Amino acid sequence: MRLDSGQQRVLVSLAVTLSVLVCGTLALMHVEGLPLGDALYFSVVTMSTVGYGDVVPFTGAGRFVAGFMILTGVGSFMSAMAATADHLLS
């Protein structure tokens, strides 16, 4: 099965977004000592730009991870949504 360029863009964007989510979650578990559920919740809230503020990083390393996720996660998430919309509309 051969994927067209639109499908490839969607899959690559989703893979990058998932990678940022997984790496961010694991990093938060390590540096903040959060359980998996809390770290995943914080990662999703950060990447979706909701930012409830109920789970926040307390360490400098945790703040660095959160900042990195904001810069990379939001961009990759928006890229995935744009690629998906473009593919569906074309």
Side-chain angles (χ1 to χ4, degrees), residues 4-75:
D4 65 33
S5 63
Q7 291 170 323
Q8 288 175 351
R9 281 185 48 222
V10 170
L11 289 177
V12 168
S13 296
L14 289 174
V16 170
T17 302
L18 183 61
S19 297
V20 172
L21 180 66
V22 169
C23 290
T25 300
L26 294 175
L28 287 167
M29 288 174 65
H30 177 71
V31 301
E32 291 290 318
L34 293 173
L36 174 62
D38 287 346
L40 179 61
Y41 171 76
F42 179 81
S43 297
V44 169
V45 167
T46 300
M47 289 177 61
S48 65
T49 70
V50 173
Y52 290 126
D54 52 347
V55 180
V56 296
F58 293 106
T59 65
R63 289 182 182 108
F64 177 80
V65 170
F68 182 78
M69 288 182 64
I70 290 167
L71 294 174
T72 59
V74 172

